[in-house]
Amino acid sequence: PYVAQEPLRKDFPQIEASVHLLSTRPVALKDGVATDVPDFKFADGPVFDTLDLPLLRGDPKTALSKPGDLVITESEAVRRFGTDNPVGEVLTIVTRGISADYRVTGVLRDLPRNSHLKISMIGRYDIQRYWAEQPQFLKEYGWQSGWIYVRLRPGADVDAINAQFPAWEKRNIPDQIINGRRSNAGDSIDFALVNVRDVHLGRAQVGAMTPGNDYRSITTFAVVALLILGMACVNFVNLATARASQRAREVALRKVLGANRRQLVVQFVGESILIAAVAMLLALAFVELLLPAVSAFLKADLTLRYFGDGGLLLPILGLVLAVGVAGGLYPAFYLSRFQPARVLKANKSSADAEGSGRLRSALVVVQFAVSIGLIICTTVVYTQTLYARNSDPGYRRDGLIQIDGLSRRQLDGVRDTLVREIEQIPDVAAVGRTQIGINTTNNRSTGVYLPGQDEPVTSDVYSVDTTFFDTMGIRLLAGRLFDISRPLDDSSRPFPEDPAAERAFVARGANVVVNRLAAERMGFRTPAEAIGKQVRVSIVDPEYGGVVPATIIGVVESSRFRSIRDPLEPITFLYERDSHEVMVVRYKTGADPAAVMRSIEGVWTRLAPDVPFNGQYADDIVRDLYQAEAARATTFAAFALLAVVVGCLGLFGLAAFTAERRTKEIGIRKVLGASTGRIVQLLVWQFSRPVLIANLIAWPVAWWVMRDWLNGFDARIALGPAPFIGAGALAMAIAVGTIAAHSYRVARTNPIHALRYE
């Protein structure tokens, strides 16, 4: 909250400078054309004293020294002024009905995508004028509408400052009396300083300007990548040890000629490192080629630098050594232990194998356990993503258009006309207005007091018009909806606040509609039981009474307006004639959506030329909402495919070599009457057993990982047996398909060719 900034400066001398940034989306007017300004930030002070931003033009000491100064990014400068040096140019900014001319005093280098800051323009504004109609913003801690950045003096102890915040809250956040009881905003918020470098993955990401992430997601993908790399090392170990006997004579001859075991180990490890180095060169070539596509897919500015800050040359060399040693160390010790006398004795076949092959079988098990686990994870992530997109949100998403920006003050006087004319469009079925739309960012949470209970029930409160529920397709469960002809249904009050009107509103009360979840939270067993009940809703300033007596006149189905990761909201709806932020339009079945959108935009542009039209289809909003989940599912699928390919390459090579070593055995079996089918079955079964064992390892691990991931969703799919059985069956089919054709070819070989030298 803005009000916290001055007490922070006063009580903590360790703070050298601070600034409050306010996020808003104003309209910019230039040459009579109105355009949106996404990522616009208002500042209450000189930003560059606190944030070390890359200013290309202008003086950081004076660029934002007074109200009316404006700093814009390079791309915005070119887009709006046609030059990268627009210093001195004037741009009109309109927000909250206030129009003011801002003079460009600086140009900021475009911030990279991986910055947590999301800024296109920064304007120094007259904060008292801007909040004249809502002075509560300047003095109440419940208004959390921005960010406070502080620069600490050298040597300041952040932990010591954070430890003092509980006491600081008690000193600075005043009590309020609501419904005759003490309330304090500090009871529901905690203050802490978080280093800017920790915003993306730390505690502050919930309130960051850009979506954050967590160490768990990054660790998961890093572990998966290492597992696949480990599978490649396993392949190398498997094939190297399987072919060890073919190099037995080489090792024996080297030992006879004077080579010691240390020299042989160095040779074989060196060969492994050389193979890893060649593989790294190929990998870097692939990375250079694929990086632009991956960057576009992830919407990130990914670069590959070899030298300087963040250079990867040393990690690359380290990875080559680590992989070379990991893949070559065991085969080196295994090969170097052969005894010359045993290998070179008469009739010792170069293809004879030593050992039982249990290590190779164990490594195959590990490979397929990783593959099966990734297939399961991919299936679950993809299924949950489909569920999130297609699950019933409690309203009809098809045929719905959402238009943002309805709260702009430039629309005062034309909102009703907009609604009437859009309703007249032939293919429009209904139009509604609301404070909450699909994936809107506003949150209005308050307390609802029930008779005989001291503790309030938390509920979100949003205003709607009388046609909102029908337009959205939200089902009425009990009671009735708002009626424009009933005075008690109308909760409209003047803006800015009129003390007399607020007190009159508290005295007369209002009718409200609640959703099913809100009714359940209030203790009503059925929707019908809630109808006619009296509650008190905290929706006015404590100065005017704090709570309003309200009668529940209807219960509607609960609707999910936000991500499926967020808890379903208990909502209390008020009917107000104005104060809406979103317009929703339902078009008729069979209508051309694009034509309807063009018609709506035409009406909007004609009636509100100073407000840019911002309409979206509901399906597109939901698709974008789950874009991160879809990207995660695609990435997992790519990892799973890569793991399966790596595993099959190793399995095919191992099967080929095993079949080669067992050529004489197969010949003898055929001479003794074994059929081709029986021999194929024998070879396939040998490599099917490790896959079955791999399932026993992969299933519990994948279940535990996916259960933890699914618990992050408020609504989720059931983690049933289908993904596990399907992944196991797929892995078995792939394994059988990999070796069956080769086994069949070997089994059909004429035994004479295998036994002719015996």
Side-chain angles (χ1 to χ4, degrees), residues 257-338:
L257 295 174
N260 57 38
R261 189 175 186 187
R262 179 175 175 275
Q263 291 173 320
L264 291 169
V265 168
V266 170
Q267 174 200 338
F268 293 132
V269 171
E271 291 175 358
S272 176
I273 293 174
L274 181 61
I275 292 173
V278 173
M280 178 60 77
L281 292 176
L282 291 173
L284 291 175
F286 279 120
V287 169
E288 295 281 7
L289 291 172
L290 295 175
L291 200 58
V294 175
S295 294
F297 173 70
L298 296 177
K299 296 185 177 179
D301 295 325
L302 299 181
T303 57
L304 182 62
R305 293 193 299 272
Y306 298 99
F307 304 99
D309 185 29
L312 293 176
L313 183 60
L314 289 178
I316 285 170
L317 294 176
L319 186 60
V320 168
L321 290 175
V323 172
V325 172
L329 197 59
Y330 177 79
F333 279 101
Y334 183 78
L335 289 167
S336 63
R337 77 181 183 182
F338 290 153

Side-chain angles (χ1 to χ4, degrees), residues 464-485:
V464 298
D465 68 359
T466 55
T467 58
F468 167 74
F469 298 109
D470 289 336
T471 304
M472 291 292 291
I474 298 176
R475 188 161 55 94
L476 178 67
L477 302 179
R480 65 176 179 85
L481 299 176
F482 293 120
D483 186 342
I484 197 171
S485 63

Side-chain angles (χ1 to χ4, degrees), residues 305-523:
R305 293 193 299 272
Y306 298 99
F307 304 99
D309 185 29
L312 293 176
L313 183 60
L314 289 178
I316 285 170
L317 294 176
L319 186 60
V320 168
L321 290 175
V323 172
V325 172
L329 197 59
Y330 177 79
F333 279 101
Y334 183 78
L335 289 167
S336 63
R337 77 181 183 182
F338 290 153
Q339 298 299 320
R342 292 186 59 205
V343 173
L344 299 176
K345 69 181 179 179
N347 298 325
K348 178 67 176 178
S349 170
S350 64
D352 285 346
E354 294 188 0
S356 62
R358 290 178 181 174
L359 175 64
R360 288 192 290 274
S361 297
L363 293 179
V364 171
V365 168
V366 171
Q367 280 188 313
F368 273 90
V370 172
S371 299
I372 292 168
L374 287 176
I375 294 172
I376 293 171
C377 292
T378 300
T379 304
V380 173
V381 171
Y382 181 72
T383 306
Q384 175 65 18
T385 302
L386 287 181
Y387 175 78
R389 283 182 177 177
N390 301 319
S391 61
D392 181 13
Y395 60 87
R396 281 182 53 211
R397 202 159 57 212
D398 59 297
L400 194 64
I401 294 173
Q402 179 167 296
I403 305 166
D404 293 330
L406 200 64
S407 61
R408 296 191 189 277
R409 299 294 291 277
Q410 300 97 299
L411 295 177
D412 288 354
V414 300
R415 291 188 184 91
D416 291 340
T417 306
L418 269 174
V419 170
R420 285 196 301 270
E421 295 217 10
I422 291 175
E423 285 177 334
Q424 298 306 312
I425 296 174
D427 286 326
V428 168
V431 180
R433 289 175 282 180
T434 175
Q435 263 185 340
I436 182 172
I438 305 169
N439 197 33
T440 49
T441 57
N442 58 318
N443 287 279
R444 291 186 62 197
S445 183
T446 190
V448 177
Y449 296 85
L450 301 173
Q453 296 184 14
D454 293 333
E455 291 297 324
V457 175
T458 301
S459 172
D460 289 353
V461 178
Y462 300 106
S463 65
V464 298
D465 68 359
T466 55
T467 58
F468 167 74
F469 298 109
D470 289 336
T471 304
M472 291 292 291
I474 298 176
R475 188 161 55 94
L476 178 67
L477 302 179
R480 65 176 179 85
L481 299 176
F482 293 120
D483 186 342
I484 197 171
S485 63
R486 304 194 186 208
L488 278 180
D489 284 7
D490 192 350
S491 299
S492 305
R493 287 106 66 204
F495 180 83
E497 288 180 356
D498 177 5
E502 294 294 305
R503 292 189 177 95
F505 181 56
V506 171
R508 72 174 176 85
N511 292 334
V512 297
V513 172
V514 300
N515 68 0
R516 182 200 294 266
L517 183 59
E520 292 173 354
R521 295 278 177 88
M522 295 175 193

Side-chain angles (χ1 to χ4, degrees), residues 61 113 127 241 308 403 435 444 538 564:
K61 295 181 180 179
R113 287 185 180 179
I127 192 168
T241 54
I403 305 166
Q435 263 185 340
R444 291 186 62 197
S538 178
I564 202 169

Side-chain angles (χ1 to χ4, degrees), residues 396-717:
R396 281 182 53 211
R397 202 159 57 212
D398 59 297
L400 194 64
I401 294 173
Q402 179 167 296
I403 305 166
D404 293 330
L406 200 64
S407 61
R408 296 191 189 277
R409 299 294 291 277
Q410 300 97 299
L411 295 177
D412 288 354
V414 300
R415 291 188 184 91
D416 291 340
T417 306
L418 269 174
V419 170
R420 285 196 301 270
E421 295 217 10
I422 291 175
E423 285 177 334
Q424 298 306 312
I425 296 174
D427 286 326
V428 168
V431 180
R433 289 175 282 180
T434 175
Q435 263 185 340
I436 182 172
I438 305 169
N439 197 33
T440 49
T441 57
N442 58 318
N443 287 279
R444 291 186 62 197
S445 183
T446 190
V448 177
Y449 296 85
L450 301 173
Q453 296 184 14
D454 293 333
E455 291 297 324
V457 175
T458 301
S459 172
D460 289 353
V461 178
Y462 300 106
S463 65
V464 298
D465 68 359
T466 55
T467 58
F468 167 74
F469 298 109
D470 289 336
T471 304
M472 291 292 291
I474 298 176
R475 188 161 55 94
L476 178 67
L477 302 179
R480 65 176 179 85
L481 299 176
F482 293 120
D483 186 342
I484 197 171
S485 63
R486 304 194 186 208
L488 278 180
D489 284 7
D490 192 350
S491 299
S492 305
R493 287 106 66 204
F495 180 83
E497 288 180 356
D498 177 5
E502 294 294 305
R503 292 189 177 95
F505 181 56
V506 171
R508 72 174 176 85
N511 292 334
V512 297
V513 172
V514 300
N515 68 0
R516 182 200 294 266
L517 183 59
E520 292 173 354
R521 295 278 177 88
M522 295 175 193
F524 301 114
R525 290 169 296 184
T526 64
E529 186 180 331
I531 303 304
K533 298 299 189 297
Q534 297 279 335
V535 296
R536 297 172 68 84
V537 187
S538 178
I539 52 176
V540 297
D541 194 285
E543 180 182 349
Y544 311 125
V547 293
V548 176
T551 302
I552 300 174
I553 61 169
V555 178
V556 296
E557 187 60 81
S558 298
S559 300
R560 189 176 297 280
F561 294 102
R562 310 189 200 278
S563 168
I564 202 169
R565 284 187 176 274
D566 300 322
L568 196 64
E569 296 166 285
I571 299 178
T572 299
F573 294 98
L574 305 174
Y575 162 50
E576 293 184 5
R577 295 187 300 274
D578 222 326
S579 76
H580 306 121
E581 298 184 10
V582 172
M583 179 187 294
V584 286
V585 179
R586 180 164 298 283
Y587 53 85
K588 297 176 181 177
T589 303
D592 180 5
V596 174
M597 184 73 83
R598 287 193 298 270
S599 299
I600 296 172
E601 185 175 5
V603 172
W604 185 284
T605 303
R606 176 166 51 84
L607 295 176
D610 292 341
V611 179
F613 177 75
N614 185 15
Q616 288 180 284
Y617 300 107
D619 287 333
D620 291 343
I621 298 174
V622 173
R623 182 200 62 215
D624 294 342
L625 181 61
Y626 296 111
Q627 191 171 34
E629 268 72 31
R632 183 177 285 109
T634 303
T635 307
F636 258 116
F639 273 132
L641 178 62
L642 182 59
V644 170
V645 169
V646 171
C648 288
L649 286 174
L651 186 62
F652 182 80
L654 196 58
F657 186 77
T658 300
E660 179 186 339
R661 279 174 39 205
R662 299 179 68 175
T663 300
K664 292 178 183 176
E665 174 194 343
I666 293 170
I668 294 173
R669 287 179 178 274
K670 294 199 73 171
V671 168
L672 296 176
S675 65
T676 299
R678 181 62 181 165
I679 293 173
V680 170
Q681 182 182 353
L682 176 70
L683 294 173
V684 169
W685 173 242
Q686 177 183 351
F687 290 99
S688 298
R689 283 178 297 177
V691 178
L692 294 175
I693 298 172
N695 279 287
L696 300 180
I697 298 173
W699 286 5
V701 174
W703 178 86
W704 180 78
V705 171
M706 285 293 95
R707 183 201 59 173
D708 188 53
W709 181 74
L710 287 172
N711 285 340
F713 292 87
D714 183 61
R716 42 163 286 186
I717 60 171

